[in-house]
Amino acid sequence: MFNKNLKLIIAGLIIAFGIYQITESFIGNGISLILFSGIFIFLYFKNEMILLAFLRLRKQDFEGAKKWLDRIKNPEKALTQKQLGYYNYLHGLMLSQKNMTQAEKYFKKAIKLGLSMDHDLAMAKLNLAGIAMTKRRKREAQMLLKEAKKLDKNGMMTDQIRMMKQQMKKI
């Protein structure tokens, strides 16, 4: 909703006003304002539109997630690098249902920009392996599956990896 730099400016102004309130003996107001500025600092690191799109994806509402992502105008300027990675990751997840070629482009861009969670990176690589497998690129699919297995430390995707390896034997 707000530009990333505007969020920091707003947080700085609120902190400055909070400090002013403390110096004027309104300590409660000052402390609450400083705590309130934490919301803007949090939203600098975690974009609100991406968070709302993730909530929509948890409910399998792809159209709702797309609406939230479409509200981000000019993502290169409005998002940090990691947020841009997740922006592309979410677009890749939504497009993987319809258009594999475009989804591959988004997943590769998300991996290049970086995803902070290992399981998200593993999921992106797993989807890329599936796309490579459908395009008959067995070596690339095997490499991506191996990388996804390394990144899946909690074993959440072992069944999907096992199924893809079985499907790869048929190619």
Side-chain angles (χ1 to χ4, degrees), residues 1-109:
M1 191 163 190
F2 295 118
N3 190 316
K4 62 183 177 184
N5 298 326
L6 187 61
K7 291 175 190 174
L8 288 179
I9 292 170
I10 291 172
L13 291 173
I14 292 174
I15 289 172
F17 189 66
I19 292 171
Y20 171 74
Q21 288 285 306
I22 290 172
T23 59
E24 292 294 317
S25 300
F26 298 114
I27 296 171
N29 289 348
I31 291 172
S32 62
L33 283 171
I34 290 172
L35 291 175
F36 178 65
S37 70
I39 293 172
F40 289 98
I41 294 170
F42 172 75
L43 291 177
Y44 174 78
F45 293 105
K46 304 287 183 189
N47 187 278
E48 63 274 9
M49 298 301 168
I50 292 175
L51 289 174
L52 291 170
F54 265 119
L55 287 174
R56 285 290 171 192
L57 277 180
R58 284 186 85 192
K59 296 178 182 180
Q60 300 295 318
D61 182 14
F62 290 102
E63 291 301 316
K66 181 151 179 51
K67 285 179 185 176
W68 282 113
L69 285 178
D70 288 342
R71 289 187 179 191
I72 300 174
K73 304 292 185 231
N74 199 359
E76 286 79 23
K77 290 185 179 178
L79 303 174
T80 62
Q81 184 176 352
K82 293 279 186 189
Q83 290 171 354
L84 199 54
Y86 276 101
Y87 177 82
N88 287 308
Y89 172 68
L90 288 173
H91 270 293
L93 282 176
M94 289 184 289
L95 285 174
S96 65
Q97 307 293 318
K98 300 173 188 171
N99 189 343
M100 297 287 243
T101 308
Q102 279 188 330
E104 180 180 19
K105 179 182 78 168
Y106 279 111
F107 282 129
K108 284 184 178 180
K109 194 171 182 184

Side-chain angles (χ1 to χ4, degrees), residues 120-135:
D120 290 334
L121 193 57
M123 180 62 87
K125 289 190 181 213
L126 186 67
N127 281 319
L128 275 175
I131 292 169
M133 199 168 64
T134 58
K135 292 184 175 184

